[in-house]
Amino acid sequence: MKRLSSKSGCAVEVTLSVMGGTWKPIILFHLMHGPKRFGELGRLISGITQRMLTLQLRELEDAGIVLRTVYAQVPPRVDYALTPLGHSLQPVLVALRDWGNNYARSQGQESGVSADGHTDHTDIEKKCL
Amino acid sequence: MKRLSSKSGCAVEVTLSVMGGTWKPIILFHLMHGPKRFGELGRLISGITQRMLTLQLRELEDAGIVLRTVYAQVPPRVDYALTPLGHSLQPVLVALRDWGNNYARSQGQESGVSADGHTDHTDIEKKCL
DNA sequence: CGGCATCCATCGTGATACTG
DNA sequence: CAGTATCACGATGGATGCCG
């Protein structure tokens, strides 16, 4: 993600550069439920490579979204948890998820879609992975 | 942006595949204010190439987000307008913009901003919605 | 266990030129 | 005006191996 440049200065871009992409939203979703260990996340997120998980977590950490806690013990243990700033992303993720569900439904039945953005509020917990 | 639901089935992914990326949010933002011609969008969106504008508009059209209207006349004239489904994205864009503004402000107060070094916060407010 | 380093294939995107 | 075609390059991400 390297779009913070003089492209547009658009706030939407800022948000997407922080939590957009293939893996970050999924990681954040899992962390919404509480702190997770590295291997735990790797097992929860099907298809992600160790490399990608590391890189994405680092970016989230640098952005101040997640907090990385290393326990000096054997075997090593590292916890990842959301910061308050990270938790503040929940409404955004919910909006994205709701629209996605609505879109999937409209594509599925090919019927008209109301412009009022109405969606059922299925909970955030079970809809992702 | 071609990570359709096959990846994880996550609704957030679906939404981001439809309206995420560098240009689509900005295009959608401009179309929120009403239909625009191709060249009009090109002039409004600073930095975009003709190629990218075409590609992104095609993807939005295929997703059912924008409607492309070609007028058989000389010189050629093509209008792009949001469909009802496209208008339903407004809350999502607003959520993304609001969080981005909040994030930019919190980062701006502390230390150097992001990996950019040259962030114009001035444009943020007006350029998006 | 939880990484990081390296190599390499693919993708996204800009630049440029051409067209109905 | 509103595209399309082609080339090139850097970023993205997978596979693998090594380390504390």
Side-chain angles (χ1 to χ4, degrees), chain A residues 29-78:
Chain A
F29 258 117
H30 286 292
L31 290 181
M32 286 284 174
H33 308 148
K36 296 275 180 298
R37 297 183 53 171
F38 182 85
E40 224 174 335
L41 286 171
R43 264 174 276 111
L44 285 170
I45 303 174
S46 137
I48 196 172
T49 60
Q50 208 174 34
R51 171 193 159 86
M52 276 304 110
L53 185 54
T54 300
L55 290 176
Q56 302 299 301
L57 282 171
R58 285 290 178 279
E59 291 183 16
L60 289 172
E61 187 190 1
D62 292 343
I65 300 296
V66 304
L67 183 64
R68 181 169 179 262
T69 308
V70 182
Y71 298 89
Q73 63 184 42
V74 177
R77 175 200 173 98
V78 181

Side-chain angles (χ1 to χ4, degrees), chain A residues 3-4 7-16 18 21-22 25-26 29 63 65 85 88-89 92-93 95-97 99-101 103 113 115 128-129, chain B residues 3 8 10-16 18 21-23 25-26 46 63 65 84-85 88-89 92-93 95-97 99-101 103 114 116 124 127-128:
Chain A
R3 56 197 41 146
L4 301 159
K7 288 287 186 187
S8 70
C10 172
V12 176
E13 290 295 312
V14 173
T15 305
L16 290 178
V18 169
T22 306
I26 309 182
F29 258 117
I65 300 296
L85 185 59
S88 74
L89 269 170
V92 179
L93 288 168
L96 287 169
R97 182 211 54 188
W99 193 90
N101 283 330
Y103 178 75
V113 176
C128 270
L129 293 183
Chain B
R3 49 195 52 123
S8 67
C10 174
V12 176
E13 290 294 312
V14 174
T15 305
L16 288 178
V18 169
T22 306
W23 303 112
I26 309 182
S46 143
I65 299 296
L85 185 60
S88 74
L89 270 171
V92 179
L93 287 168
L96 286 169
R97 181 210 54 188
W99 193 91
N101 281 330
Y103 178 76
S114 308
D116 177 17
I124 289 182
K127 293 202 77 168
C128 273

Side-chain angles (χ1 to χ4, degrees), chain B residues 106-127:
Chain B
S106 72
Q107 295 296 298
Q109 288 175 351
E110 299 170 8
S111 56
V113 187
S114 308
D116 177 17
H118 177 61
T119 27
D120 358 298
H121 292 154
T122 47
D123 287 334
I124 289 182
E125 307 295 335
K126 21 181 179 171
K127 293 202 77 168

Side-chain angles (χ1 to χ4, degrees), chain B residues 27-90:
Chain B
I27 293 173
L28 292 174
F29 153 63
H30 285 292
L31 290 182
M32 288 282 175
H33 299 334
K36 295 276 181 298
R37 297 184 54 171
F38 181 86
E40 226 174 333
L41 286 171
R43 261 172 278 112
L44 286 170
I45 304 173
S46 143
I48 197 172
T49 60
Q50 212 172 28
R51 170 193 157 84
M52 273 304 109
L53 185 54
T54 300
L55 290 176
Q56 302 300 300
L57 282 171
R58 286 288 181 279
E59 291 182 17
L60 290 173
E61 187 191 1
D62 292 344
I65 299 296
V66 305
L67 183 65
R68 180 169 179 263
T69 308
V70 183
Y71 299 89
Q73 64 184 40
V74 176
R77 175 199 173 97
V78 181
D79 268 14
Y80 292 90
L82 289 181
T83 62
L85 185 60
H87 279 292
S88 74
L89 270 171
Q90 179 148 1

